[in-house]
Amino acid sequence: MFFLLNITRSAHSHVLLKQNKLNPRVFFSSLLENQENYNVESQHVNQIRSNWKLRGGNFSDFRRITVKGGAGGNGCVSFAKEIHLPQGPPNGGNGGSGGNVYFIADINESSLAKISSNVTAESGKNGKGKDLHGHKGKDLFITVPVGTVVREIQKPVYDFLELYDLDEKFDKKTVAQRNSDNNQPEFLSQYEEIKKYHNEESGKQRFQTKSKNKSALDLLYEQTELERKLKNGLSDMYSFYPSKDIHEESFDLKNLPHEYVDYLFKLKNQIPIEYDLNTHGQQALVCMGGTGGNGNPFFASLPSKSTYIALKGLAGQKRILELELKSVADVGLVGMPNAGKSTFIGAVSNAHPRIAPYPFTTLNPYIGTVDLDKSNQITIADIPGIIKGAHMNKGLGHSFLRHVERSKVLAYVIDLSKPNPWDDLAILQSELELYDKSITKKPALVIANKADLHDTAKSNYETWIKFSTIPIVPVSSKEVKNVKKIIRILEKLVNSTK
Ligand SMILES: Nc1nc2c(ncn2[C@@H]2O[C@H](COP(=O)(O)OP(=O)(O)OP(=O)(O)O)[C@@H](O)[C@H]2O)c(=O)[nH]1
Ligand SMILES: [Mg+2]
């Protein structure tokens, strides 16, 4: 009978998982571990499911995403045409630059789940005739929870950079000039290093080519290939006025607009970003929008007077990022499931967490604020319960400990009415150390909860204080007794870390 029940339950859960109604990690770990450790009935599994759905089922504190700035708009080839002026001057407008992407830390956000995996800002509009410049693409502002750490994890590939001879065509003077214009001193040194490297590399190649004896047919083939590549490449870079000859020097990077070439250099020498957005309102530029292309008046003004070409806009900057939410709170509550962490935070702060008499009621970490007086507050983070073996992903695992990693003070919430409550403290401390060795060195205290259950709590307390090395304060979160004392101690501990 039990076997049958299990099969039916797992078939049902399979359907739910397929429908994305359950988080598999939460579901399976709770099903397997909770039943073993807590003898929880299937009602509990249902409870976890409904909890998960209630919260939208979409908490996430770790994401990998790709972010792109908007592409620049293309420049336009156009000429003024009027009755008395059949062949007027060039008047193609410039393309607008693409929108930038910014991240902003916001206390109203609590999860990374709603950030899409591919984020792109708006493109700039193309230029038009009659000197109409394209509009700039709108900047994109993405709100992330306070405590989000942004890391670039992979170098992006910009295929189009191959079209530009960024290493050969520049002389030092031009680059130095550009750098002084832009106040970017590190730009030159990086450029020098890259150029040196490429010179060495191309030196080697040249040597190898010379040593080969090529036939006239091979040389002809290479020549035609080169021309074909150049033609294809150029059509990617420029808009041409049909059937007109183009002066070659127009393609020289020296003759391209400064901001266009600077942008190309920035992409080529992209420096990886790392931000810790840990205060409300903190803003970070993550990706620049691509530069827009210039219209034909720009080329007409060059000595070569190439009036028949315009520049195409450049693709936006790209970054492959890892986002990790590490909550920032003064105090981190750590405890076994059911110890009363959420009841405590509900009793002392503005938070209204879900409280229930079974383990793993809390599935997502959250932060409550305690008002000490008009201007002072402390923040407390509640996280899902930790059990023995959490570091091996038992229970809900120990990844939630990232949310107390940055707390100044740790408060261990222990059920004082259990037999040998000190064993729970030892388990919690060892799980914390397996997550991060230094974490248990923070100032700490024990919130010895459920002290109202006198029968066992009183004698446990009396035994425990005789050998404990950290302060133990008996409280009843349910009856809101002695909790003010805890807050006063926590305040002192937090201040001692400043
Ligand atoms: N008698 C008594 N019961 C308490 C006290 N504090 C909490 N409880 C009860 O313990 C049960 C669990 O409380 P929660 O606050 O949900 O426990 P938790 O540590 O947040 O549990 P998880 O979220 O599952 O990790 C609830 O039934 C509470 O009513 C207390 O001081 N005294
Ligand atoms: Mg809870």
Side-chain angles (χ1 to χ4, degrees):
M1 180 61 199
F2 178 65
F3 177 70
L4 238 172
L5 195 82
N6 256 352
I7 290 183
T8 335
R9 193 188 294 160
S10 67
H12 178 55
S13 58
H14 182 71
V15 174
L16 280 163
L17 283 172
K18 269 195 129 177
Q19 291 170 350
N20 273 338
K21 287 192 175 162
L22 269 179
N23 175 318
R25 186 168 63 94
V26 172
F27 182 75
F28 286 119
S29 55
S30 62
L31 189 72
L32 300 174
E33 306 305 338
N34 299 343
Q35 294 207 351
E36 258 175 39
N37 294 325
Y38 293 93
N39 194 19
V40 192
E41 287 151 28
S42 63
Q43 179 205 2
H44 173 238
V45 176
N46 288 336
Q47 188 62 41
I48 286 192
R49 188 191 307 148
S50 68
N51 245 350
W52 194 253
K53 277 199 315 197
L54 260 178
R55 291 161 195 267
N58 60 355
F59 175 79
S60 165
D61 52 11
F62 190 85
R63 295 291 309 276
R64 291 219 164 110
I65 63 167
T66 304
V67 183
K68 279 188 216 159
N74 299 333
C76 167
V77 180
S78 151
F79 298 90
K81 272 192 201 123
E82 284 165 36
I83 297 170
H84 59 280
L85 198 68
Q87 277 214 314
N91 70 352
N94 301 335
S97 53
N100 299 326
V101 183
Y102 297 89
F103 282 179
I104 302 180
D106 190 325
I107 41 166
N108 301 313
E109 296 290 344
S110 57
S111 163
L112 299 170
K114 73 168 198 214
I115 300 172
S116 114
S117 318
N118 287 292
V119 174
T120 311
E122 194 185 51
S123 303
K125 297 278 176 292
N126 295 339
K128 289 182 184 164
K130 298 186 182 169
D131 286 320
L132 290 174
H133 300 313
H135 282 293
K136 186 186 179 306
K138 271 194 207 126
D139 289 341
L140 187 62
F141 294 89
I142 296 173
T143 49
V144 294
V146 172
T148 303
V149 178
V150 180
R151 250 177 261 115
E152 188 165 353
I153 49 167
Q154 200 181 318
K155 206 175 179 221
V157 182
Y158 297 109
D159 286 334
F160 65 91
L161 285 183
E162 285 169 18
L163 302 173
Y164 304 90
D165 206 352
L166 284 167
D167 302 314
E168 296 298 322
K169 292 249 173 166
F170 262 109
D171 57 26
K172 279 184 195 170
K173 207 175 142 205
T174 330
V175 177
Q177 179 63 37
R178 277 178 205 291
N179 287 324
S180 64
D181 289 352
N182 291 328
N183 294 326
Q184 283 181 316
E186 77 279 10
F187 197 48
L188 178 64
S189 61
Q190 271 184 12
Y191 169 74
E192 290 301 329
E193 265 173 36
I194 288 167
K195 189 162 178 177
K196 205 172 121 207
Y197 168 79
H198 278 274
N199 280 345
E200 281 165 12
E201 286 292 299
S202 54
K204 272 185 226 157
Q205 276 171 13
R206 235 173 280 146
F207 178 73
Q208 281 165 2
T209 336
K210 267 188 191 168
S211 65
K212 270 189 190 171
N213 254 344
K214 287 191 176 169
S215 70
L217 198 65
D218 282 343
L219 285 173
L220 186 68
Y221 174 75
E222 271 179 19
Q223 176 76 14
T224 349
E225 264 302 280
L226 203 76
E227 276 171 18
R228 192 181 59 82
K229 272 189 193 157
L230 192 72
K231 217 174 148 205
N232 286 347
L234 290 179
S235 66
D236 279 346
M237 287 159 69
Y238 299 97
S239 308
F240 299 94
Y241 197 71
S243 73
K244 289 286 176 189
D245 282 342
I246 288 130
H247 294 282
E248 236 198 65
E249 58 276 28
S250 312
F251 308 135
D252 198 316
L253 283 180
K254 278 182 222 156
N255 289 332
L256 291 181
H258 275 200
E259 63 276 10
Y260 197 87
V261 180
D262 288 343
Y263 178 72
L264 290 173
F265 262 83
K266 278 182 191 156
L267 295 192
K268 184 156 176 96
N269 308 317
Q270 183 160 313
I271 301 162
I273 52 165
E274 179 152 3
Y275 293 115
D276 184 357
L277 301 174
N278 56 16
T279 39
H280 176 65
Q282 198 178 337
Q283 185 172 312
L285 170 63
V286 174
C287 284
M288 295 179 286
T291 307
N294 291 58
N296 61 338
F298 174 82
F299 292 93
S301 66
L302 295 179
S304 55
K305 295 229 176 308
S306 301
T307 48
Y308 297 105
I309 55 172
L311 264 182
K312 284 190 175 172
L314 292 170
Q317 191 175 27
K318 181 176 170 183
R319 295 199 196 262
I320 298 152
L321 301 174
E322 199 172 79
L323 308 183
E324 189 179 7
L325 173 58
K326 291 184 175 196
S327 303
V328 196
D330 298 317
V331 179
L333 295 185
V334 187
M336 293 267 174
N338 231 13
K341 300 177 291 301
S342 304
T343 312
F344 174 77
I345 208 171
V348 298
S349 77
N350 62 343
H352 304 289
R354 199 181 169 88
I355 295 162
Y358 31 75
F360 300 111
T361 309
T362 304
L363 295 172
N364 306 334
Y366 59 86
I367 295 171
T369 307
V370 186
D371 289 320
L372 302 172
D373 53 55
K374 269 184 189 159
S375 56
N376 276 327
Q377 294 179 325
I378 55 171
T379 48
I380 304 183
D382 183 13
I383 62 166
I386 299 292
I387 58 169
K388 189 175 181 180
H391 68 282
M392 290 181 329
N393 216 21
K394 285 201 174 179
L396 297 189
H398 75 169
S399 67
F400 288 114
L401 288 177
R402 63 163 67 107
H403 297 281
V404 293
E405 198 185 318
R406 306 212 271 191
S407 301
K408 294 172 189 144
V409 173
L410 287 183
Y412 299 102
V413 183
I414 310 270
D415 180 349
L416 190 61
S417 68
K418 273 174 84 175
N420 303 338
W422 40 87
D423 288 348
D424 281 6
L425 179 65
I427 291 170
L428 291 173
Q429 284 178 324
S430 99
E431 289 299 326
L432 281 168
E433 277 171 11
L434 286 164
Y435 175 80
D436 176 355
K437 269 218 149 75
S438 63
I439 203 165
T440 46
K441 303 212 165 65
K442 291 175 194 278
L445 93 164
V446 171
I447 300 178
N449 197 28
K450 309 199 184 181
D452 53 294
L453 303 173
H454 295 288
D455 292 353
T456 45
K458 196 162 178 265
S459 60
N460 277 340
Y461 176 68
E462 279 161 3
T463 317
W464 198 357
I465 45 162
K466 286 184 194 145
F467 63 89
S468 174
T469 48
I470 51 174
I472 305 170
V473 188
V475 295
S476 169
S477 305
K478 197 173 177 182
E479 294 177 8
V480 198
K481 281 195 178 141
N482 227 16
V483 292
K484 277 198 180 148
K485 186 174 173 189
I486 296 266
I487 294 300
R488 277 200 304 277
I489 302 175
L490 287 177
E491 186 190 357
K492 273 193 197 143
L493 289 176
V494 169
N495 288 337
S496 73
T497 60
K498 280 180 185 163

